[in-house]
Amino acid sequence: MKNKIIFVLSLLFGLIFINAGLDKFFHYMPMPENIPENMLKAMTAFNDIGWLMPLVGVAEIVGGALFIFPKTRALGAVVVFPIIVGILLTNTITEPSGLPFALVFVAINLWVLYENRHKYAPMVTK
């Protein structure tokens, strides 16, 4: 049962990240109409840095794809971790209304990181 829950959460998590990454390139998701001014300024600043959003998009696509499959899930969790930190900080500081959604992402990623902690041990031990 635990493996099925992890698989479903990982599949949804990965697909959400792949979708978000693809949107960075193809812009097919409509922008909400009621975006607060401070969030709009932050998004404009991110877009003004020409290389930043494509880099984040590639990381989201690759990390999301890796996150789906059990064999590469530990690597996917590491790849998307900096993006999740950015999502959490953005929703904490700039627009708190998205914080519950961001906390769910943090919880799923931390759970997968914890479940795969034995795979990370060689990186931090002598």
Side-chain angles (χ1 to χ4, degrees), residues 31-40 95 97:
M31 293 291 293
E33 293 179 14
N34 57 349
I35 297 177
E37 187 177 336
N38 57 350
M39 185 65 143
L40 193 57
E95 182 50 40
S97 67

Side-chain angles (χ1 to χ4, degrees), residues 70-98:
K71 190 172 185 173
T72 58
R73 190 168 296 142
L75 179 58
V78 171
V79 170
V80 299
F81 185 75
I83 297 166
I84 289 180
V85 170
I87 292 169
L88 183 63
L89 289 173
T90 299
N91 286 288
T92 302
I93 298 166
T94 309
E95 182 50 40
S97 67

Side-chain angles (χ1 to χ4, degrees), residues 14-15 29 32 39 43 45 60 62 69 74-75 80 87 100 118-119:
L15 290 175
M29 293 193 314
M39 185 65 143
M43 290 171 49
E60 287 175 338
V62 170
F69 302 102
L75 179 58
V80 299
I87 292 169
H118 63 281
K119 294 180 181 179

Side-chain angles (χ1 to χ4, degrees), residues 74-75 77-79 113 116-126:
L75 179 58
V78 171
V79 170
L113 288 169
N116 291 288
R117 65 191 178 279
H118 63 281
K119 294 180 181 179
Y120 309 122
M123 293 189 301
V124 293
T125 60
K126 282 190 173 185

